[in-house]
Amino acid sequence: MFCNQCEQTAKGKGCDKIGVCGKTPEVAALQDLLTHSVKGLSLYAHAGRKVGVVDNEVNRFSCEAIFSTLTNVDFDPARFVAMIERCDALKERLKTKVKAAGGQVSFGSEPEPGFLTKVARVILGGGQPDFTKHPEISFTAAGTTQLVPMGEKVGFAPRPDVNADLESLRQILTYGLRGVAAYADHAAILGQESDEVYDFIHEAMAATLDQSLGLDELIGLCLGCGKANLKAMELLDAANTGSYGHPVPTEVPLGPKKGKAILVSGHDLKDLGMLLEQTAGKGINIYTHGEMLPCHGYPELKKHPHFHGHYGTAWQNQQKEFAEFPGAILMTTNCIQNPVESYKGNIFTTGLVGWPGVTHVSKDFSKVIEKALVMPGFAKDEDKGSVLTGFARNAVMNVAGTVIDAVKSGAIRHFFLVAGCDGAKPGRNYYTEFVEKVPQDCVVLTLACGKFRFFDKKLGDIGGIPRLLDIGQCNDAYSAIQIAVALAGAFNCGVNDLPLSMVLSWYEQKAVAILLTLLHLGIKGIRLGPSLPAFITPNVLQVLVDTFDIKPITTPDADLKAILG
């Protein structure tokens, strides 16, 4: 196997024996083959749009399949085999539709010797399936033992015959698309979709097969990915706020309440909403974990009296925190870690999340509820303090006048967006120290699970404005962007001219998509850490530095001095 898509990848280069996330070589190969299969499907989808053929099942499946390959989502090989088979079926159906409409269904020469014909065209003699020439290749009749070696041939393992810089850009694009697909899937679950996003996903996935594309073309596609992600986050924002209201500042207890308990982790608001409805009146308190913390700010979720508080911190601490939780646990989207035996019988997955041996449930959460009712729950009430959340764009813009006056008077000198993914790799204490050292006349905006390095710090306020503002989940980067745009408008300047600095941490592919969005918007001077992506070559990094002044973090003292002077 070879996988370098996350920040914690082995030796800063790539996992080649087993993933640091826990995925096996078998799962890694099947993920690569599914990705490759979706690229073939994307060729037909993109060609179909040119002749008016749009298949929404293909759109939805493409996002689900791509999202499933994102870090810490699905580790179940059987589910990937089923997705590969479904991809083949959709490919055949779409090809028939496109051909009937007069569209392109041939993308290369006739199959050369070494290909089997029709179903399960498995390469003879160890050749490599090339969807650029043969997008019609199908694996439906192949078993897992045949699929795994095929997947090993189509990943991003370094090859001497491939231009490293161009391959780096193809990786950035592919990983960014995984983030876009995740947000598009979240939004579609709540009824918000856009063919503009689906069209770009298919165009860009197909483009990764085109070896003739050069540096400028691939950079353009990467920035286009950022644009598509902005739209996907806008859709998700509309989906969340349209379903559950705009977040309002909310104090969230960190201590438990006596009684039965269910812990919800991941990102999905609809799953949480359905669970709250299904547990009403059952004597079970619902707690959030990780990126679910901001859910407490949504009016239609917080109205449930048994939606109590937040438990634990970020995803990488779940093995310790879940083991100590005295109730059932529901994983709704990405961020699952290998469940340890002490709680493996208490954890459930839903949606695209999967782990072998863990019970998977649909949107009927009766099994989760039954487990919670037979577990001990919390023995007593505990006061462990509280944190504030709910400072999304509406909440901030409602006090925009106060904020603007504070900036003009000098009461607020600077804003810092300290945001992104958390992780276990050493070096992330930088973000804790950075926030602790931010001067008293500055405000810290934060979002995503990176906040758990400092989310419970009591930083006080400036004229009633809290110095630490939790904007929300990682997708709420959309809110942060809207806040920045509104402030720039109020001060009649560009976003890059604002007293605003972005200090970001990354871990997985949603963060890649958000970074591409910021670059698409022309945001400059971003500081990124704790380490730079292994899939970015020195030459590509230099392009980013020269064009966007992107830079690695150094030390909190040095970076604060450079920013504030």
Side-chain angles (χ1 to χ4, degrees):
M1 69 175 286
F2 179 82
C3 181
N4 63 358
Q5 69 177 10
C6 84
E7 192 269 335
Q8 291 182 186
T9 194
K11 301 177 182 178
K13 294 181 179 180
C15 297
D16 56 10
K17 292 182 175 61
I18 190 168
V20 292
C21 62
K23 71 178 173 183
T24 63
E26 177 186 43
V27 169
L30 292 172
Q31 287 182 347
D32 286 342
L33 187 58
L34 176 60
T35 299
H36 204 59
S37 298
V38 173
K39 291 176 181 180
L41 178 64
S42 295
L43 281 169
Y44 290 124
H46 188 52
R49 280 185 172 82
K50 295 177 181 178
V51 291
V53 175
V54 178
D55 187 324
N56 198 55
E57 186 180 354
V58 169
N59 293 338
R60 290 296 306 276
F61 170 79
S62 298
C63 288
E64 291 172 359
I66 296 168
F67 185 10
S68 294
T69 65
L70 187 144
T71 300
N72 288 9
V73 178
D74 194 353
F75 296 79
D76 190 340
R79 287 160 62 96
F80 285 109
V81 171
M83 277 196 166
I84 291 167
E85 291 177 346
R86 187 178 172 204
C87 188
D88 282 344
L90 290 173
K91 194 189 310 176
E92 290 299 319
R93 187 178 82 185
L94 188 56
K95 179 181 179 180
T96 300
K97 288 183 179 181
V98 175
K99 185 176 182 179
Q104 181 182 4
V105 293
S106 178
F107 300 91
S109 59
E110 289 299 313
E112 65 268 17
F115 283 88
L116 299 179
T117 56
K118 198 54 181 170
V119 180
R121 294 176 175 130
V122 182
I123 311 303
L124 292 179
Q128 181 175 327
D130 183 350
F131 278 120
T132 304
K133 295 180 180 178
H134 311 292
E136 75 283 5
I137 294 172
S138 170
F139 306 106
T140 300
T144 303
T145 55
Q146 292 171 306
L147 294 177
V148 168
M150 292 180 205
E152 291 171 347
K153 299 176 185 298
V154 295
F156 281 118
R159 302 197 306 271
D161 60 325
V162 175
N163 182 294
D165 296 327
L166 299 181
E167 189 75 340
S168 173
L169 289 167
R170 281 189 285 268
Q171 284 188 269
I172 294 170
L173 179 58
T174 301
Y175 300 154
L177 288 169
R178 288 178 179 172
V180 177
Y183 292 139
D185 182 65
H186 289 323
I189 287 171
L190 287 170
Q192 290 286 335
E193 299 180 72
S194 167
D195 197 59
E196 174 188 339
V197 174
Y198 293 139
D199 186 15
F200 181 82
I201 288 173
H202 288 136
E203 176 187 4
M205 286 293 282
T208 62
L209 297 168
D210 189 347
Q211 301 296 309
S212 71
L213 297 181
L215 190 73
D216 291 341
E217 292 163 306
L218 287 170
I219 289 175
L221 283 166
C222 288
L223 295 179
C225 183
K227 180 181 179 181
N229 189 58
L230 181 63
K231 180 64 177 178
M233 290 193 299
E234 179 186 6
L235 290 170
L236 182 50
D237 179 85
N240 287 339
T241 58
S243 300
Y244 305 109
H246 284 275
V248 295
T250 301
E251 191 168 359
V252 183
L254 298 177
K257 180 184 290 188
K258 181 180 178 180
K260 305 295 185 179
I262 295 176
L263 184 63
V264 184
S265 194
H267 300 77
D268 196 282
L269 272 63
K270 186 172 183 179
D271 286 338
L272 174 60
M274 294 174 70
L275 180 66
L276 287 167
E277 292 171 359
Q278 292 176 35
T279 50
K282 295 185 181 297
I284 301 173
N285 294 315
I286 307 300
Y287 298 81
T288 55
H289 178 269
E291 287 236 50
M292 298 299 284
L293 168 62
C295 296
H296 289 276
Y298 287 89
E300 289 301 306
L301 296 175
K302 66 182 293 183
K303 71 180 183 182
H304 293 275
H306 60 301
F307 188 26
H308 175 60
H310 188 77
Y311 173 91
T313 52
W315 66 271
Q316 78 276 5
N317 301 318
Q318 67 185 249
Q319 288 180 331
K320 177 179 183 297
E321 294 170 351
F322 287 6
E324 296 172 353
F325 188 76
I329 303 160
L330 178 65
M331 293 297 305
T332 66
T333 58
N334 58 302
C335 291
I336 190 171
Q337 282 190 304
N338 185 359
V340 298
E341 287 302 319
S342 62
Y343 65 84
K344 196 169 185 178
N346 308 332
I347 189 170
F348 300 80
T349 59
T350 191
L352 297 176
V353 191
W355 195 283
V358 169
T359 301
H360 192 80
V361 296
S362 63
K363 304 312 174 186
D364 174 0
F365 296 124
S366 56
K367 290 184 179 179
V368 185
I369 294 168
E370 290 167 6
K371 175 59 69 172
L373 289 173
V374 299
M375 293 191 68
F378 287 101
K380 60 180 180 179
D381 294 352
E382 292 184 55
D383 183 0
K384 294 186 177 181
S386 62
V387 293
L388 282 171
T389 191
F391 292 96
R393 71 180 192 285
N394 257 32
V396 174
M397 297 322 298
N398 282 341
V399 294
T402 303
V403 173
I404 291 166
D405 289 344
V407 174
K408 288 181 176 178
S409 70
I412 296 178
R413 176 170 38 149
H414 205 86
F415 296 92
F416 291 94
L417 179 64
V418 186
C421 312
D422 203 2
K425 192 173 178 179
R428 290 180 179 268
N429 59 316
Y430 164 95
Y431 297 94
T432 308
E433 187 179 346
F434 186 96
V435 168
E436 290 174 339
K437 291 184 173 182
V438 165
Q440 293 293 313
D441 57 357
C442 299
V443 172
V444 175
L445 310 173
T446 191
L447 55 88
C449 65
K451 71 168 70 75
F452 290 109
R453 292 282 165 172
F454 48 80
F455 79 126
D456 54 353
K457 302 290 181 185
K458 304 303 180 184
L459 301 185
D461 65 272
I462 299 175
I465 302 168
R467 289 189 57 238
L468 180 60
L469 300 176
D470 179 9
I471 296 173
Q473 295 183 338
C474 57
N475 52 278
D476 290 311
Y478 178 77
S479 260
I481 290 166
Q482 297 308 310
I483 291 169
V485 169
L487 288 174
F491 289 106
N492 195 29
C493 66
V495 172
N496 288 319
D497 300 316
L498 287 172
L500 168 67
S501 298
M502 299 188 182
V503 184
L504 308 181
S505 56
W506 82 281
Y507 173 71
E508 41 92 331
Q509 298 81 65
K510 287 180 177 178
V512 175
I514 291 172
L515 179 61
L516 292 177
T517 294
L518 296 174
L519 300 184
H520 155 70
L521 293 170
I523 307 298
K524 295 186 176 182
I526 297 169
R527 284 172 166 78
L528 183 65
S531 61
L532 294 176
F535 49 82
I536 294 184
T537 62
N539 288 336
V540 171
L541 177 60
Q542 194 59 50
V543 170
L544 296 176
V545 170
D546 293 343
T547 308
F548 301 103
D549 193 26
I550 196 168
K551 58 196 72 177
I553 58 172
T554 59
T555 67
D557 288 326
D559 289 343
L560 281 167
K561 182 176 181 180
I563 293 167
L564 297 174

